[in-house]
C-alpha cells in the first residue's frame, strides 16, 4: 500500500509515513497487528498517537472485532497444508503442516530436526496438487545447518509424480530420469530458498523482522513466501542467557521473537517451522527424561509440537505432543539419502 494511504490515518504525515514504510509497516493490516509501544519506538511518535494509528488501522483493515464461528471456518478453509509425502505423518498432522501456525519440532542431536526443515523447503515449492504450496522459503540458520547439497539430494529423491509436476510447473523440458532437467530443477529450487545466517540472538530477531519485509516484497510474485524455517530457534538464546538471573530477559526476548515470526505466517499465509533443542532431566525416574527448552512461552505460542526421537538405524519416531484439534499420536519415518521417506 502506498505512503499516501497511510497518511489518511490520524497523526501520520509524510515523514511518519516514510518511517513506517521503511520499518515494514506498508499496509493497514501490518499496522493493525502492531502494538502501540512497538509503533511508538519505530516511528518516533508518542504512545497515545501510536494507539490512535493502530486503532484507525484496525478499523480500516476491518480486523479485531468479533465474528461468527462459520466465518472463522470459512477463513480456515484458506489455510494450506504442506505435505511431508509420508502418509502416516500427514495423517498424524491432519493433512500436513498448517499455514498461519507455528509448528515446533524438537528432539536431541541427530534426531532429524534439520532434515525436516530441508525437506519442507523442497516440498513447499511443489504445486498444490502434489502436496506443495507453490511458494518460496525463508530460512533463518542459527546453527550453520543449511546445506544446498542436501536440498539437491531431496529434490532428486522426490516421488516421480512430484518431480514431473515440478518440472511442468517450471516449464523445464525433460522427465524424472533426465539429468539435465533435474539439474535445472535443483538450481531453480535453490534460487527460491532465501537463507540468512544468524550470528547471535539480536541478529536473529532482526532477521525475523527482515523476513516480514521479504515476504511483503514477494507477495505478488509467482512464488510468494509460503514457509519460514528457523533452525534452531533457541540455540543463541540458550547460549547467551545463562543462569536463572537471566531467565526473565531471555523469555521476554524469545516472546517478542516468536510474535515477529508469527506475524509472517498470519499476514502472508505462510507455514512456520521452528526447531528446538532439548534438555535432560536427571530427576526423571520414569519415561523420557528429555524435554524441550524455551519454557511455557514457547509451549503456548507453538500451535503444533512435534517430538522427534531416534529409533533403529535410519528410523525416526514422529510424535505429535500438542495440537489444538488433533489427538496425540506417533508415526514412523526414515531419514535416507533421498530425504524423509515412509517406513
Amino acid at each position: 500500500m502506498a505512503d499516501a494511504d497511510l497518511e489518511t490515518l490520524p497523526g501520520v504525515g509524510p515523514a511518519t509515513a516514510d518511517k513506517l514504510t521503511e520499518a515494514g509497516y506498508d499496509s493497514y493490516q501490518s499496522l493493525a497487528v502492531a502494538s502501540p509501544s512497538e509503533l511508538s519506538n519505530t516511528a518516533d511518535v508518542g504512545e497515545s498517537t501510536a494507539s490512535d494509528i493502530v486503532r484507525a488501522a484496525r478499523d480500516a483493515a476491518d480486523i479485531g472485532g468479533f465474528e461468527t464461528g462459520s466465518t472463522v471456518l470459512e477463513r480456515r478453509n484458506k489455510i494450506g497444508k504442506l505435505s511431508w509425502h509420508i502418509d502416516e505423518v500427514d495423517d498424524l498432522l491432519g493433512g500436513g503442516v498448517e499455514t498461519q501456525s507455528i509448528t515446533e519440532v524438537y528432539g536431541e542431536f541427530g534426531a532429524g530436526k534439520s532434515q525436516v526443515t530441508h525437506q519442507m523447503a523442497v516440498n513447499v515449492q511443489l504445486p498444490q496438487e502434489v502436496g506443495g504450496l507453490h511458494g518460496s522459503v525463508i530460512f533463518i540458520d542459527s546453527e550453520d545447518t543449511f546445506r544446498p547439497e542436501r536440498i539437491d539430494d531431496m529434490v532428486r529423491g522426490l516421488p516421480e509424480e512430484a518431480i514431473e509436476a515440478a518440472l511442468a510447473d517450471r516449464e523445464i523440458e525433460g522427465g524424472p530420469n533426465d539429468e539435465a532437467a533435474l539439474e535445472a530443477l535443483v538450481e531453480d529450487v535453490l534460487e527460491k530458498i532465501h537463507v540468512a545466517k544468524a550470528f547471535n540472538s539480536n541478529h536473529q530477531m532482526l532477521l525475523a523482522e527482515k523476513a516480514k519485509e521479504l515476504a511483503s516484497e514477494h507477495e505478488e510474485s509467482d512464488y510468494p513466501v509460503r514457509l519460514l524455517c528457523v533452525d534452531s530457534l533457541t540455540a543463541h538464546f540458550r547460549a547467551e542467557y545463562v543462569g536463572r538471573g537471566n531467565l526473565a530477559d531471555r523469555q521476554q526476548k524469545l516472546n517478542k521473537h516468536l510474535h515477529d515470526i508469527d506475524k509472517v505466517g498470519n499476514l502472508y499465509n505462510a507455514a512456520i517451522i521452528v526447531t528446538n533443542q532439548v534438555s535432560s532431566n536427571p530427576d526423571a525416574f520414569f519415561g523420557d527424561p528429555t524435554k524441550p527448552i524455551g519454557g511455557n512461552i514457547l509451549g503456548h505460542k507453538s500451535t503444533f509440537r512435534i517430538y522427534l526421537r531416534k529409533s533403529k538405524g535410519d528410523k525416526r519416531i514422529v510424535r505429535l505432543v500438542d495440537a489444538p484439534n488433533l489427538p496425540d499420536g506417533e508415526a514412523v519415518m526414515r531419514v535416507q539419502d533421498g530425504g524423509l521417506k515412509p517406513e
Side-chain angles (χ1 to χ4, degrees), residues 309-317 332-334:
R309 69 176 191 272
K310 299 175 189 175
S311 186
K312 286 185 179 178
D314 60 5
K315 278 188 184 180
R316 299 292 185 273
I317 309 300
V332 181
M333 69 175 184
R334 292 181 182 274

Side-chain angles (χ1 to χ4, degrees), residues 237 241-256 294 297:
F237 293 93
Y241 296 88
V242 181
R244 286 188 178 275
N246 291 314
L247 186 60
D249 286 344
R250 185 188 82 174
Q251 293 304 89
Q252 193 174 1
K253 276 197 161 187
L254 190 58
N255 189 30
K256 183 189 182 308
I297 280 176

Side-chain angles (χ1 to χ4, degrees), residues 25-293:
Y25 299 107
D26 56 356
S27 67
Y28 291 143
Q29 192 171 9
S30 60
L31 284 168
V33 296
S35 68
S37 59
E38 176 188 340
L39 206 61
S40 176
N41 292 331
T42 304
D44 194 24
V45 296
E47 194 146 337
S48 62
T49 304
S51 295
D52 292 340
I53 294 172
V54 170
R55 197 177 299 114
R58 286 175 181 167
D59 291 339
D62 195 25
I63 68 169
F66 290 97
E67 55 191 4
T68 64
S70 58
T71 306
V72 175
L73 179 62
E74 187 180 330
R75 192 175 69 250
R76 279 193 57 79
N77 287 335
K78 297 175 184 174
I79 286 175
K81 297 274 191 176
L82 174 56
S83 173
W84 290 51
H85 284 161
I86 301 169
D87 290 344
E88 198 179 345
V89 178
D90 284 341
D91 290 344
L92 181 70
L93 297 177
V97 178
E98 272 194 9
T99 60
Q100 300 181 35
S101 296
I102 295 178
T103 299
E104 175 198 353
V105 180
Y106 71 90
E108 61 185 6
F109 68 93
K113 303 184 295 296
S114 296
Q115 302 297 321
V116 171
T117 57
H118 281 66
Q119 187 70 67
M120 295 303 112
V122 171
N123 291 3
V124 74
Q125 299 189 37
L126 298 172
Q128 292 184 6
E129 61 267 22
V130 286
L133 296 174
H134 199 275
S136 59
V137 186
I138 296 174
F139 198 112
I140 299 175
D141 181 5
S142 71
E143 292 190 288
D144 194 25
T145 51
F146 181 77
R147 294 291 182 272
E149 302 87 349
R150 191 63 179 132
I151 297 293
D152 189 318
D153 294 340
M154 288 176 165
V155 170
R156 295 168 187 273
L158 287 169
E160 278 200 11
E161 66 272 17
I163 294 177
E164 287 173 356
L167 290 170
D169 190 54
R170 288 165 162 86
E171 298 181 351
I172 299 172
E173 292 184 5
N177 299 315
D178 184 332
E179 182 57 29
L182 285 173
E183 283 183 10
L185 178 58
V186 169
E187 186 177 343
D188 198 69
V189 167
L190 286 169
E191 279 291 319
K192 291 177 174 59
I193 304 175
H194 309 278
V195 186
K197 186 174 178 181
F199 295 102
N200 54 49
S201 61
N202 284 326
H203 186 218
Q204 185 173 322
M205 293 175 73
L206 176 65
L207 289 174
E209 293 172 18
K210 293 290 183 187
K212 191 168 73 169
E213 294 176 25
L214 190 59
S216 176
E217 288 170 17
H218 286 77
E219 191 173 11
E220 302 300 326
S221 69
D222 289 341
Y223 280 80
V225 172
R226 286 289 178 261
L227 175 64
L228 169 59
C229 293
V230 185
D231 186 19
S232 122
L233 178 77
T234 49
H236 285 317
F237 293 93
R238 188 182 197 180
E240 293 167 26
Y241 296 88
V242 181
R244 286 188 178 275
N246 291 314
L247 186 60
D249 286 344
R250 185 188 82 174
Q251 293 304 89
Q252 193 174 1
K253 276 197 161 187
L254 190 58
N255 189 30
K256 183 189 182 308
H257 185 42
L258 282 165
H259 276 81
D260 287 341
I261 290 168
D262 197 31
K263 279 182 190 174
V264 177
N266 286 318
L267 288 173
Y268 303 104
N269 195 24
I272 310 291
I273 298 178
V274 300
T275 67
N276 188 14
Q277 299 179 341
V278 295
S279 61
S280 185
N281 179 11
D283 297 333
F285 292 105
F286 303 101
D288 194 331
T290 58
K291 62 176 184 177
I293 66 169

